[in-house]
Amino acid sequence: MLLFLLKIHLNSMKSISSKIILKACQLGHEFKILKLEFGKNSVRLIINCQTTDSIPNLIKALKGGSARFLYKEFPDSKVEHGSSLWDPKYIISTDEIQFDKMIQNYKGVSTTI
């Protein structure tokens, strides 16, 4: 399970596009997005990947690939919010209960739209 933090708030149109884009990012890699949820400033993903996969490479593929496509689709976002869509921080866990506790303890995360 992963939680990415956004530097911007996504409206519903950008959320729909983001879901499609994040799903497309998995095509060139050996992971599969099983679940994808958007909050006002966060994206929660459940991912199936190999234990040998490099987590930093997986994060880079999702964040970098999605930002490239989103800025292409919504060029004004880059102008309005600077050059970075994603906050550099993320939360990751293999246990759902621990994951939820970590999110509750992290200030500034909105998991609802």
Side-chain angles (χ1 to χ4, degrees):
M1 284 170 267
L2 291 169
L3 183 84
F4 294 146
L5 302 177
L6 291 158
K7 288 189 173 182
I8 65 170
H9 293 287
L10 294 178
N11 60 31
S12 59
M13 179 191 237
K14 287 183 183 175
S15 292
I16 292 166
S17 294
S18 299
K19 286 180 183 182
I20 294 165
I21 290 165
L22 281 165
K23 291 275 189 180
C25 288
Q26 73 186 351
L27 297 177
H29 302 278
E30 294 183 20
F31 64 86
K32 183 168 175 73
I33 298 173
L34 303 176
K35 189 173 182 183
L36 179 61
E37 298 172 349
F38 280 84
K40 286 183 182 173
N41 69 344
S42 64
V43 179
R44 183 179 182 147
L45 300 115
I46 297 178
I47 295 177
N48 184 5
C49 63
Q50 300 296 316
T51 56
T52 56
D53 287 342
S54 167
I55 297 300
N57 288 343
L58 187 134
I59 301 294
K60 184 178 175 182
L62 287 165
K63 286 184 171 183
S66 61
R68 214 172 22 259
F69 288 117
L70 276 171
Y71 285 146
K72 198 174 198 178
E73 189 169 340
F74 302 102
D76 293 342
S77 293
K78 191 168 190 173
V79 174
E80 290 173 22
H81 305 290
S83 62
S84 183
L85 170 70
W86 300 104
D87 189 298
K89 298 180 266 324
Y90 58 90
I91 298 170
I92 187 167
S93 179
T94 57
D95 179 68
E96 189 169 4
I97 294 169
Q98 182 64 27
F99 185 70
D100 290 336
K101 286 180 185 176
M102 289 166 48
I103 292 171
Q104 289 172 357
N105 291 332
Y106 191 85
K107 294 181 181 184
V109 176
S110 175
T111 55
T112 59
I113 292 180

